[in-house]
Amino acid sequence: MKIGILGAGQLGRMLALAGYPLGFEFAFLDPAAEACAAPLGGHLRADYLDQDALAKFCSGIDLATFEFENVPQQAAEFVAARVPLLPGPQALSAGQDRLGEKQLFVALGIPVPKFAAVSSRAELEAAAQHTGLPAVLKTRRMGYDGKGQSVLRSAADFDAAWAQLGAQPLILEAFVPFEREVSCLAVRGRDGAMRFYPLVQNVHRSGILRTARPRAGDPLQTLGEDYARRVLRQLDYVGVLAFEFFAIDGGLLANEIAPRVHNSGHWSIEGAECSQFENHLRAIAGLPLGSTALRGASAMVNFIGAAPPLQALAALDGVHAHLYGKLPKPQRKIGHATVTAESDALLEARLAALQPLLHQDDV
Ligand code: AMP
């Protein structure tokens, strides 16, 4: 079976790496010259809206998926009219607009921070009355890794934030003084079967994920699964979905969903019985889903801006390096390591041994 992937970044690369042992082949479509999944399948370098290229892409594959949630909706619909595209275009669009996403959560009874749409400077004042301050002003579309966001602490910050972001439709959200950030990685098969990984505790800095650590028995596990299940069913979702939450006051407030495999699930390659990548492929290919159980303790550490020398990483027991073949650049994710151990104490020791090797952006 040949699977076409829209987007050829590191998520596409890791999907293909998980898929070859199952006998799958891969093709990618991505406008970028520097597409790090390209060594793992044919890379059609074209704009997502180039219909000739999309038709060619579809003619050589049995099934399609995406690894980038900002693939234009028209491209998804074009592909879905020719080959099965999983998750479907409706799931893709649900993750593209922060306002629509919040409205979906509200409709499903999932708690969210206070929010309001902002499309003019005057609306910003009114929105801040509703959310209170501090608040986070975000672009509704195309934001990632903290880009397109500005924290408003007082009315004195409004002009600068408006000058920076005001050209696009925006959303203002109350700033949540969360205790923890967690994500629920969920997978749903073509037959509607669902599985959930243990909740992952995530640490971000400057809006970029730094570390992700799954823990069995998180007291919020059942709640996270319940909320994820509502979204999966509503979107008739097939594949892996990541749901990011703020943990506060014994409950969860929904932040956002990503309709794809997710950075906070990379630990699952070594840390779970079946990785998020293999489970995504199993789901879209109509196979039974794999076990989401943990294999011991694990944690993922991102390499941001630069990666430690492979020579040094390879010398550390329990450190599994993943280098994406991307050029180093400030704030860019160019790899990660999953650290595994038989116990939490040994995991801590191994994480401490990795720490001095990290580029200062990572620490
Ligand atoms: P996002 O792109 O919306 O996931 O935001 C990236 C990161 O910024 C989140 O993981 C949080 O660490 C922080 N952040 C975003 N929105 C809020 C909020 N409303 N309150 C507090 N922190 C936030």
Side-chain angles (χ1 to χ4, degrees):
M1 180 184 288
K2 191 158 192 171
I3 299 177
I5 303 183
L6 293 163
Q10 67 263 25
L11 300 177
R13 181 175 166 112
M14 287 184 271
L15 279 167
L17 286 168
Y20 281 110
L22 305 179
F24 296 140
E25 291 180 70
F26 294 89
F28 300 93
L29 187 141
D30 192 312
E34 229 187 81
C36 71
L40 287 141
H43 173 208
L44 194 53
R45 187 178 170 204
D47 192 273
Y48 290 120
L49 294 173
D50 178 340
Q51 295 207 343
D52 291 339
L54 284 173
K56 190 173 164 206
F57 174 71
C58 292
S59 69
I61 57 176
D62 302 298
L63 178 68
T65 189
F66 46 86
E67 59 104 65
F68 172 59
E69 73 265 37
N70 289 315
V71 169
Q73 191 64 22
Q74 305 94 296
E77 276 160 14
F78 186 96
V79 171
R82 285 157 182 82
V83 291
L85 174 73
L86 297 165
Q90 80 290 355
L92 178 72
S93 71
Q96 286 182 336
D97 177 3
R98 289 183 189 275
L99 181 65
E101 203 174 56
K102 289 277 187 313
Q103 288 165 338
L104 171 72
F105 301 152
V106 170
L108 294 174
I110 301 170
V112 293
K114 279 189 179 170
F115 68 94
V118 176
S119 51
S120 68
R121 179 69 175 78
E123 270 183 16
L124 178 56
E125 308 281 342
Q129 292 288 326
H130 174 65
T131 62
L133 293 175
V136 191
L137 189 62
K138 302 181 179 179
T139 55
R140 280 173 53 180
R141 291 180 172 271
M142 301 299 279
Y144 69 99
D145 283 352
K147 293 190 175 72
Q149 298 193 12
S150 184
V151 178
L152 307 181
R153 298 191 186 281
S154 75
D157 296 330
F158 288 14
D159 282 337
W162 185 254
Q164 186 198 336
L165 302 173
Q168 311 129 81
L170 303 171
I171 179 172
L172 188 70
E173 297 173 15
F175 185 92
V176 180
F178 54 80
E179 291 139 23
R180 300 186 290 145
E181 285 192 85
V182 297
S183 54
C184 181
L185 292 149
V187 58
R188 184 168 182 267
R190 281 188 172 197
D191 60 356
M194 288 181 257
R195 294 217 185 195
F196 305 88
Y197 288 90
L199 282 197
V200 186
Q201 194 162 315
N202 301 316
V203 177
H204 293 82
R205 221 179 41 262
S206 308
I208 304 180
L209 182 68
R210 307 289 161 157
T211 62
R213 185 160 174 176
R215 286 186 198 272
D218 192 300
L220 295 171
Q221 181 76 32
T222 309
L223 196 57
E225 289 185 14
D226 173 30
Y227 294 159
R229 195 176 285 113
R230 295 182 202 184
V231 172
L232 291 171
R233 288 207 176 113
Q234 176 68 25
L235 298 176
D236 194 17
Y237 197 91
V238 177
V240 166
L241 173 107
F243 201 157
E244 294 186 82
F245 297 101
F246 302 120
I248 182 165
D249 298 335
L252 293 171
L253 292 180
N255 179 22
E256 61 177 355
I257 50 169
R260 54 168 170 77
V261 287
H262 192 255
N263 195 177
S264 68
H266 291 359
W267 57 270
S268 64
I269 297 173
E270 292 86 5
E273 289 292 339
C274 181
S275 76
Q276 63 163 346
F277 300 101
E278 181 174 335
N279 252 336
H280 183 74
L281 297 172
R282 287 186 184 217
I284 66 175
L287 295 167
L289 302 178
S291 165
T292 50
L294 298 183
R295 292 193 283 174
S298 68
M300 186 232 47
V301 179
N302 267 337
F303 300 146
I304 313 288
L310 187 55
Q311 186 77 22
L313 288 172
L316 296 174
D317 281 344
V319 172
H320 307 271
H322 296 257
L323 303 175
Y324 305 152
K326 290 165 72 172
L327 290 175
K329 193 170 148 187
Q331 308 292 302
R332 176 182 268 184
K333 290 174 186 166
I334 61 167
H336 75 268
T338 297
V339 183
T340 57
E342 299 77 54
S343 68
D344 283 340
L346 185 58
L347 181 65
E348 293 298 345
R350 288 179 168 172
L351 285 167
L354 175 62
Q355 193 69 13
L357 297 183
L358 298 178
H359 181 253
Q360 62 172 22
D361 244 16
D362 301 322
V363 292

